[in-house]
């Protein structure tokens, strides 16, 4: 292939038809120019950008809560503040504390015998202009959260929120345009055409969070530009309760996690594996917890609305199919109605469903929990391994060696022992998937490294044998002979 035939890194064609795409292209070009003029912002400037982000989140705390309620129909204020505001601020503060150390050159070993006084180090270099495609379920945590590490790494950022959360998307655009120059951070809002055009831009890095199916399309679009991608995808996260672990506290942890965003969370428990003899105990603990925590759950203050009617209808179909197959279904409240107008439904357990039911095949992403009975722990492990590699895996076991043995025999993006989902809440630990649950990591240092170019730098000193690599090769031959006779 001649140099003229290589794929050009061009902007979207057809932009003239869609003002949102024209604007996106202009913002992208402006960021590229700004990056070319300032390739390596220093520590103080990066810190300032992150402090601006903290101020932006604090100033808009109440508006964020209101926008979430508008898009979801219902969204508990406590959960909005904790996850979408304070969680993001805590993540930013952690980065501020550690950024200086992460930015420092990382020295590498150099063999003094052959390379004399030469030295080597890895320089974490900004990548450039980074895109972030965001899903609807955590409109702020998944847009502003990764932005922290993208900015910490010295990049410029364009965010594309989900079209399913228009109030949050509009608020984010407003907040960001008040806080930042668009040549540093910009928010592009629009529909599917814009989303496609976004993933086709020649980013220096592209983060996509969403379903595996769209993840495939995003990765294919990025491949045309050889753009590196981080894919944060979904799937079915299992909880495995080892014999003896079906206690009130542990069942509360499973169901309590399910209540967060009403199950619409990538690290939620998708299904729970329980020793056959403990199935009834699980049901009783689950009922008792919900009676205590949210007795009229779907009508009460703890519920998050289902994002769309289409999604609610899909969940209702999953339940109906289970009911038609004679599964026992246990709603964890008295009112069993599915409220289409309010986009609410009860939290329900589906006991021991057959593996070919749709709810055992696709990610549930809502208030339905299949509770699958197993006879031997090895059967439960085989069930997990028969599926795709999950984003999160949760093991409940009193004996740490049992938990470790389950971890050793399975593969997942992250895992938690004796609780659920907490592996995703630490700024000190990289977060991401494996296989169909994704690739790459963000959060804290892992995110900083992901959005940096780890440039390896070698600095020649004195007294080395580097000229052995150059012709004539008599010196190389002598060196090889000496090395072979010494070994
Ligand atoms: P979604 O429908 O909001 O889509 C996600 C984003 O992709 C949106 O911004 C959308 O506009 C964009 N998009 C859609 N089609 C596109 C295309 N062809 N090209 C480019 N962009 C496109 O959200 P969703 O996919 O329904 O999100 C739910 C999924 O996300 C679940 O599977 C969940 O597990 C997963 N998820 C994963 C994580 C994680 O961190 N691993 C976090 C949250 C959600």
């Amino acid at each position: 292939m001649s140099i003229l035939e290589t794929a050009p890194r061009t902007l979207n064609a057809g932009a003239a038809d869609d003002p949102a795409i024209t604007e996106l292209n202009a913002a992208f070009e402006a960021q590229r120019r700004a990056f070319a003029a300032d390739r390596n912002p220093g520590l103080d400037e990066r810190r300032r950008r992150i402090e601006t982000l903290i101020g932006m989140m604090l100033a808009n705390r109440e508006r964020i809560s209101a926008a979430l309620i508008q898009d979801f129909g219902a969204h508990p204020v406590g959960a909005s503040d904790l996850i979408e505001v304070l969680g993001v601020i805590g993540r930013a503060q952690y980065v501020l504390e550690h950024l200086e150390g992460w930015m420092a050159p990382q020295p590498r070993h150099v063999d003094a015998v052959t390379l004399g006084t030469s030295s080597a180090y890895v320089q974490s270099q900004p990548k450039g202009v980074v895109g972030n495609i965001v899903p609807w379920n955590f409109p702020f945590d998944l847009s502003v959260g990764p932005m922290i590490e993208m900015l910490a790494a010295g990049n410029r950022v364009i965010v594309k929120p989900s079209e399913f959360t228009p109030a949050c998307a509009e608020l984010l655009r407003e907040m960001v345009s008040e806080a930042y120059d668009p040549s540093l951070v910009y928010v592009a809002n629009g529909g599917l055409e814009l989303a496609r055009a976004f993933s086709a831009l020649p980013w220096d890095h592209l983060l996509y969070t969403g379903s595996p199916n769209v993840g495939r399309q995003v990765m294919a679009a990025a491949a045309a530009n050889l753009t590196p991608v981080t894919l944060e995808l979904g799937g079915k996260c299992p909880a495995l309760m080892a014999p003896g672990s079906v206690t009130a506290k542990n069942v509360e942890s499973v169901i309590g996690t399910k209540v967060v965003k009403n199950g619409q969370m990538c690290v939620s428990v998708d299904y729970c594996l329980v020793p056959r003899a403990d199935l009834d105990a699980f049901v009783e603990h689950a009922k008792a917890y919900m009676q205590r925590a949210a007795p009229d759950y779907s009508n009460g203050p703890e519920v998050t609305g289902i994002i769309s009617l289409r999604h609610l209808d899909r969940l209702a179909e999953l339940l109906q199919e289970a009911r038609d197959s004679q599964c026992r279904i246990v709603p964890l409240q008295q009112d069993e109605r599915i409220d289409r107008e309010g986009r609410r439904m009860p939290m329900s357990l589906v006991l021991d469903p057959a593996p070919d039911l749709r709810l055992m095949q696709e990610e549930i992403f809502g208030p339905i929990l299949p509770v699958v009975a197993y006879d031997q722990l090895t059967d439960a492990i085989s069930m997990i391994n028969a599926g795709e590699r999950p984003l999160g895996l949760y093991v409940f076991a009193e004996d740490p060696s049992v938990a470790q043995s389950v971890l050793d025999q399975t593969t997942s993006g992250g895992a938690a022992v004796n609780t659920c989902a907490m592996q995703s809440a630490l700024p000190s630990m990289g977060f991401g998937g494996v296989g169909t649950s994704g690739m790459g990591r963000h959060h804290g240092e892992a995110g900083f490294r992901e959005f940096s170019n780890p440039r390896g730098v070698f600095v020649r000193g004195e007294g080395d044998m580097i000229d052995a690599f150059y012709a004539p090769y008599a010196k190389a031959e002598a060196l090889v002979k000496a090395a072979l006779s010494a070994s």
Side-chain angles (χ1 to χ4, degrees):
M1 186 189 273
S2 87
I3 198 160
L4 295 177
E5 289 167 326
T6 55
R9 289 167 63 90
T10 53
L11 297 187
N12 296 292
D17 303 341
D18 185 337
I21 297 177
T22 311
E23 245 188 62
L24 167 66
N25 284 346
F28 181 80
E29 275 302 326
Q31 292 209 353
R32 277 226 284 215
R33 279 194 304 274
F35 181 74
D38 178 18
R39 291 182 169 273
N40 198 18
L43 174 65
D44 289 348
E45 176 57 20
R46 296 189 199 189
R47 290 179 63 97
R48 199 187 57 72
R49 293 173 182 178
I50 296 168
E51 280 157 4
T52 299
L53 181 148
I54 293 175
M56 175 183 85
M57 295 304 283
L58 279 174
N60 287 284
R61 186 172 70 83
E62 286 171 5
R63 294 171 84 200
I64 287 172
S65 209
L68 286 163
I69 291 172
Q70 204 177 324
D71 284 334
F72 284 85
H75 199 286
V77 172
S80 308
D81 282 348
L82 192 64
I83 304 172
E84 302 261 26
V85 180
L86 292 187
V88 173
I89 291 173
R91 184 167 166 180
Q93 284 165 336
Y94 181 85
V95 170
L96 284 178
E97 271 169 42
H98 293 87
L99 185 56
E100 186 172 8
W102 299 343
M103 281 175 69
Q106 300 172 290
R108 291 291 184 264
H109 172 75
V110 170
D111 175 34
V113 174
T114 49
L115 296 171
T117 61
S118 299
S119 60
Y121 62 92
V122 174
Q123 173 194 15
S124 290
Q125 211 183 18
K127 283 196 165 179
V129 180
V130 176
N132 180 9
I133 303 180
V134 182
W136 50 264
N137 64 337
F138 287 92
F140 297 93
D141 171 59
L142 294 172
S143 55
V144 184
M147 193 195 293
I148 299 164
E149 294 125 27
M150 290 169 177
L151 291 175
N155 299 298
R156 288 163 193 271
V157 184
I158 302 186
V159 179
K160 201 216 75 64
S162 172
E163 61 276 26
F164 289 105
T165 46
C168 293
E170 207 34 57
L171 174 59
L172 185 69
R173 189 172 157 96
E174 244 180 87
M175 287 162 49
V176 163
S177 66
E178 278 162 19
Y180 293 102
D181 190 271
S183 68
L184 180 61
V185 186
Y186 178 78
V187 176
N189 282 332
L192 193 56
E193 282 313 307
L194 178 83
R196 291 210 174 99
F198 195 95
S199 57
L201 280 172
W203 302 102
D204 295 305
H205 193 103
L206 179 59
L207 165 64
Y208 167 78
T209 306
S211 65
N213 277 342
V214 176
R216 286 185 181 92
Q217 296 174 43
V218 169
M219 193 169 175
N225 295 309
L226 295 180
T227 291
V229 290
T230 303
L231 299 179
E232 296 287 355
L233 310 178
K236 295 182 81 60
C237 302
L240 198 174
M241 307 193 87
S245 73
V246 181
T247 62
K249 184 179 173 196
N250 290 343
V251 175
E252 170 178 332
S253 180
V254 172
I255 308 292
T257 301
K258 202 74 183 164
V259 167
V260 180
K261 289 268 175 175
N262 209 357
Q264 302 168 105
M265 175 167 78
C266 56
V267 287
S268 199
V269 183
D270 187 273
Y271 64 101
C272 188
L273 293 152
V274 171
R276 193 172 299 281
D278 295 333
L279 209 53
D280 288 340
F282 185 98
V283 172
E284 289 317 309
H285 289 311
K287 280 182 176 168
Y289 165 66
M290 285 302 271
Q291 184 57 37
R292 212 171 57 247
D296 193 21
Y297 176 62
S298 65
N299 306 308
E302 315 297 341
V303 78
T304 298
I306 304 296
I307 188 65
S308 67
L309 209 49
R310 188 173 60 85
H311 196 42
L312 181 85
D313 288 342
R314 185 186 67 84
L315 291 165
E317 281 166 24
L318 296 184
L319 262 190
Q320 191 55 44
E321 192 199 37
R323 192 171 283 118
D324 293 345
S325 78
Q326 313 304 323
C327 276
R328 201 176 133 211
I329 295 174
V330 183
L332 298 178
Q333 66 183 72
Q334 290 224 312
D335 180 0
E336 298 186 19
R337 268 179 325 123
I338 291 181
D339 167 9
R340 289 186 87 242
E341 204 176 321
R343 301 201 311 267
R344 323 270 190 94
M345 62 193 288
M347 178 76 72
S348 300
L349 308 180
V350 177
L351 302 189
D352 217 11
D356 60 350
L357 284 183
R358 254 178 79 196
L359 54 69
M360 289 308 294
Q361 297 289 325
E362 61 188 66
E363 183 179 6
I364 293 173
F365 227 55
I368 303 172
L369 180 69
V371 187
V372 182
Y374 70 83
D375 295 308
Q376 301 292 328
L377 201 55
T378 49
D379 300 337
I381 291 169
S382 301
M383 260 186 258
I384 293 170
N385 287 336
E388 299 288 1
R389 292 173 168 183
L391 184 62
L393 182 145
Y394 314 120
V395 195
F396 290 87
E398 213 176 308
D399 180 349
S401 69
V402 172
Q404 190 57 50
S405 148
V406 172
L407 294 180
D408 290 346
Q409 294 176 71
T410 53
T411 303
S412 61
V417 177
N418 293 333
T419 189
C420 307
M422 289 306 294
Q423 80 282 1
S424 64
L426 300 188
S428 57
M429 193 154 72
F431 173 70
V434 57
T436 55
S437 59
M439 61 183 71
R441 293 289 181 273
H442 57 75
H443 287 200
E445 182 172 3
F448 173 84
R449 304 275 172 228
E450 183 92 355
F451 304 128
S452 297
N453 172 38
R455 175 197 245 176
V457 181
F458 179 88
V459 182
R460 190 172 190 180
E462 298 293 333
D464 60 61
M465 300 181 189
I466 292 177
D467 60 355
F469 287 99
Y470 312 145
Y473 288 111
K475 189 165 181 186
E477 282 164 20
L479 273 176
V480 170
K481 211 184 234 174
L484 290 178
S485 63
S487 61

